[in-house]
Amino acid sequence: MADEAQVDARASDRERDDAVTGLQIAFAEGRLDDAEFDTRVRGALAAKTRGDLVRLAADLPADLPANGGGLLPAVGRRPGKLSLAYKNSLRRSGRWRVPATFTAVSYKGGGTVLDLRAAELTSAVTTIRAIAYKCRIQVLAPPGIRVELSGIGVSDAEDAAGPGLPAAAPVVHIRGLAYKGLVEVRSMPSGG
């Protein structure tokens, strides 16, 4: 009975976020294709109960954060500090927690997209180290944050620095290194 009550309990924002993180891991491991990933992430963000989250991850291994060891994500998990795309593509989007320092490495393949528009920045100053080898890493930044770029092979596609922002605006430092590739930053409103 206790397990049934837990499954029927309302899901918290943190549980939905942890479920999305688990789905991102499953997607990065090739367990979900693009369409399944997109459908399940939408379902996780709209989940009302813990049971809704459990059903989204029922066919995934129990050790993924989306399953929380078989039932639910662990509360209080620290955000991951690394994304790695090796001869494939990777997209981090939706509601995900970005640590103070995050590293994205993309080697050949289709590249990486880091979408910060719905992300939770865990620090007032965030540093993203982006390393692109024969591919592209694209960072999508929402309006209202200050983006500072440096490195080799880095492109500010659309005035990502955000002129006219208040001094207290969150800051994202992009430290890029691209070899026969590109690290690109675009400022885009949510849903754009």
Side-chain angles (χ1 to χ4, degrees):
M1 248 344 172
D3 287 340
E4 200 171 305
Q6 182 143 348
V7 169
D8 291 336
R10 300 289 281 191
S12 70
D13 285 342
R14 179 171 300 262
E15 290 166 337
R16 283 187 280 275
D17 292 343
D18 286 345
V20 169
T21 299
L23 293 169
Q24 289 170 330
I25 291 168
F27 177 69
E29 291 177 342
R31 296 178 193 278
L32 300 173
D33 64 26
D34 287 340
E36 288 175 307
F37 174 69
D38 196 43
T39 299
R40 290 186 194 206
V41 166
R42 289 174 200 253
L45 294 174
K48 298 253 188 254
T49 67
R50 291 175 165 183
D52 295 338
L53 296 174
V54 170
R55 284 185 284 283
L56 289 170
D59 61 342
L60 299 174
D63 60 343
L64 287 178
N67 261 348
L71 181 60
L72 292 169
V75 175
R77 269 181 26 108
R78 290 185 297 167
K81 295 184 176 191
L82 173 70
S83 72
L84 174 63
Y86 178 75
K87 293 186 178 182
N88 64 7
S89 59
L90 178 70
R91 182 178 185 93
R92 297 286 310 252
S93 62
R95 291 169 40 182
W96 62 291
R97 297 184 73 215
V98 184
T101 302
F102 184 80
T103 302
V105 178
S106 193
Y107 177 82
K108 296 185 179 179
T112 296
V113 176
L114 301 175
D115 189 343
L116 304 177
R117 295 176 295 170
E120 175 192 343
L121 301 178
T122 60
S123 177
V125 177
T126 303
T127 301
I128 296 177
R129 294 182 296 230
I131 302 165
Y133 179 82
K134 293 186 178 180
C135 62
R136 179 169 93 169
I137 294 177
Q138 184 178 51
V139 179
L140 303 178
I145 66 171
R146 185 177 318 282
V147 178
E148 298 174 359
L149 307 165
S150 66
I152 299 170
V154 176
S155 171
D156 178 358
E158 296 177 2
D159 193 21
L165 292 175
V171 177
V172 175
H173 297 286
I174 308 291
R175 306 291 182 245
L177 175 61
Y179 175 75
K180 293 186 179 180
L182 178 66
V183 175
E184 178 181 44
V185 179
R186 295 180 157 265
S187 180
M188 298 180 82
S190 295

